[in-house]
Amino acid sequence: MSTRGYAAKGPSLPLEPFDFERREPGPHDVLVDIQYCGVCHSDIHQTRNEWGGSKYPMVPGHEIVGTAAAVGDKVRKFKVGGRVGVGTFVDSCRRCGPCRAGDEQYCEDGATFTYNCYERDGKTMAQGGYSTYITVDEAYAFDVPTSIPLERAAPLLCAGTTTYSPLRHFGVKKDDRIAVVGLGGLGHMAVKLAKALGANVTVLSHSPNKHEDATRLGADDFIATGDPEVFKKNASRFDFVMDTVSAKHDFNAYLNLLRFEGTMMLVGVPDPAPLAPSALQGHRRRLIGSNVGGTKDTQEMLDFCAKHGIAADVEVIPIERIEEAFDRTVRSDVRYRFVIDIASLKS
Ligand code: NAP
Ligand code: ZN
Ligand code: ZN
């Protein structure tokens, strides 16, 4: 099936219109008529080859929402016209321990990520949601609750699940003190989700002008990190730190904000920076990493958001403004997620 998308053809080239093929839906597949796709910082890292190994042409996008245009005859979860969400991966081995536990992103055989990855045949390029349609096995698609406006649901498929998964896995609960570092797409979801879990949330930001927004999003406190004194003043204050920063920074400074046996959850993927053993050892602190959320956590998160009235704060743009959106995201000038209106690709 011929599909229209926007692709990067090289690391320093702007995205441009690109036509490519999607498979015809098989018995277990849903053909999704994409309506909105969020713009994750990982789209920028990968189209610009900031992690190395990028494959071109690359249609990015893994915060996908739309409606089922067709369903295979074995599909049970979705009906034509119903809402469908697709996140950061579209297949995996389905047999290993992580796959059986609904943690497919940690598949021992390697998950098939939504783009910049080969499908399981080892030769077809998976292409993402900056496109009109996607064909996906229903086991890797999500039921998007109707109470969440569709454009505000899109960012939940990556930013939502990436922050929800470690919050749940490490048991963040009522009255825990958590610092969210970086108020962007992931950060603003972390604030909303941690608040809904009853935690006491402090935002740490290098942008002094985000204080009011942090408060509006539900944060109890705000720390502008421009003044190095704040790291001394807030030493050993938090049970958890969730680090969502996209650019290189000093991990040790944030580790030192943890109390005895506190946990720093690293979800941002910046360039590497040195780790001081003493920042961990002195207070038996933990540093953990977490990669997106599996099918189990993602559906649970969508239902949790519906229950708690949570959705992303978005700025909807036509696809033609994608380069501006990338540049503004890199400048931390996004309130708090750009979302592409895919109607702009269909006209
Ligand atoms: P984003 O919207 O651009 O937010 C990143 C935030 O980091 C910015 O808003 C800014 O917050 C802060 N920041 C940016 N540059 C900085 C600098 N030079 N110094 C200090 N702080 C800076 O990005 P995102 O989509 O939330 O993604 C954040 C990171 O997580 C990216 O690296 C992305 O690839 C990664 N990611 C990881 C996973 C995973 O599974 N682990 C999933 C999705 C994304 P302030 O203005 O408040 O300082
Ligand atoms: Zn993402
Ligand atoms: Zn597996």
Side-chain angles (χ1 to χ4, degrees):
M1 290 177 43
S2 179
T3 304
R4 164 135 295 205
Y6 250 53
K9 296 197 173 155
S12 48
L13 297 171
L15 271 62
E16 57 175 82
F18 173 67
D19 290 327
F20 63 103
E21 295 289 317
R22 294 278 191 205
R23 70 172 184 272
E24 293 286 348
H28 297 279
D29 285 336
V30 185
L31 175 66
V32 185
D33 178 353
I34 302 177
Q35 290 177 16
Y36 296 98
C37 185
V39 177
C40 178
H41 207 117
S42 301
D43 300 344
I44 304 172
H45 289 310
Q46 291 178 88
T47 53
R48 297 184 175 175
N49 197 27
E50 291 170 0
W51 297 340
S54 287
K55 299 170 182 65
Y56 301 98
M58 182 198 303
V59 178
H62 58 203
E63 294 184 336
I64 301 166
V65 290
T67 50
V71 297
D73 55 13
K74 298 244 163 55
V75 168
R76 293 288 164 265
K77 268 182 5 196
F78 301 99
K79 292 201 166 51
V80 170
R83 288 170 159 219
V84 189
V86 181
T88 59
F89 56 89
V90 289
D91 211 340
S92 65
C93 87
R94 306 172 188 226
R95 290 182 304 273
C96 72
C99 280
R100 286 205 306 271
D103 281 327
E104 301 86 347
Q105 74 276 36
Y106 304 116
C107 174
E108 289 168 3
D109 201 33
T112 304
F113 291 96
T114 306
Y115 66 88
N116 195 21
C117 188
Y118 290 109
E119 296 199 10
R120 301 214 80 74
D121 63 9
K123 49 180 195 267
T124 309
M125 275 298 295
Q127 298 288 18
Y130 295 10
S131 61
T132 48
Y133 290 91
I134 188 166
T135 311
V136 62
D137 188 305
E138 70 161 334
Y140 295 81
F142 303 97
D143 178 13
V144 180
T146 50
S147 63
I148 309 174
L150 209 51
E151 69 279 15
R152 299 186 63 198
L156 304 180
L157 276 304
C158 176
T161 194
T162 298
T163 48
Y164 182 81
S165 181
L167 288 173
R168 296 295 285 165
H169 191 81
F170 292 93
V172 173
K173 58 183 190 315
K174 193 170 170 351
D175 297 332
D176 282 346
R177 284 158 302 167
I178 180 167
V180 173
V181 188
L183 196 62
L186 266 56
H188 95 292
M189 287 311 308
V191 172
K192 292 183 188 219
L193 292 166
K195 272 315 287 181
L197 291 168
N200 183 285
V201 181
T202 300
V203 166
L204 274 75
S205 172
H206 87 309
S207 307
N209 55 0
K210 289 184 183 172
H211 191 156
E212 264 178 48
D213 282 355
T215 306
R216 179 178 53 78
L217 291 163
D220 301 282
D221 197 4
F222 179 89
I223 298 174
T225 53
D227 173 8
E229 280 298 307
V230 298
F231 289 93
K232 281 191 201 143
K233 275 192 217 145
N234 293 281
S236 303
R237 172 174 165 188
F238 298 101
D239 302 300
F240 295 94
V241 170
M242 183 176 285
D243 184 343
T244 77
V245 174
S246 52
K248 188 170 177 174
H249 60 289
D250 179 10
F251 299 126
N252 306 310
Y254 295 97
L255 280 168
N256 282 320
L257 303 181
L258 289 173
R259 62 151 171 84
F260 170 64
E261 293 189 333
T263 302
M264 175 152 135
M265 310 188 248
L266 191 56
V267 291
V269 192
D271 282 343
L275 187 65
S278 60
L280 291 168
Q281 293 158 346
H283 294 73
R284 198 154 68 194
R285 294 169 173 136
R286 286 192 292 187
L287 174 62
I288 68 92
S290 189
N291 186 21
V292 300
T295 53
K296 184 172 162 285
D297 285 347
T298 302
Q299 191 61 58
E300 189 184 300
M301 175 275 312
L302 286 165
D303 298 339
F304 180 90
C305 286
K307 186 172 161 204
H308 292 270
I310 293 174
D313 285 26
V314 302
E315 182 173 342
V316 178
I317 55 160
I319 190 77
E320 292 80 9
R321 285 181 51 203
I322 191 63
E323 288 301 315
E324 176 197 332
F326 276 16
D327 291 340
R328 279 183 51 196
T329 300
V330 171
R331 290 200 304 270
S332 307
D333 176 23
V334 48
R335 301 285 191 280
Y336 275 86
R337 198 56 135 188
F338 288 107
V339 170
I340 304 163
D341 182 353
I342 297 297
S344 61
L345 251 176
K346 294 173 182 162
S347 51

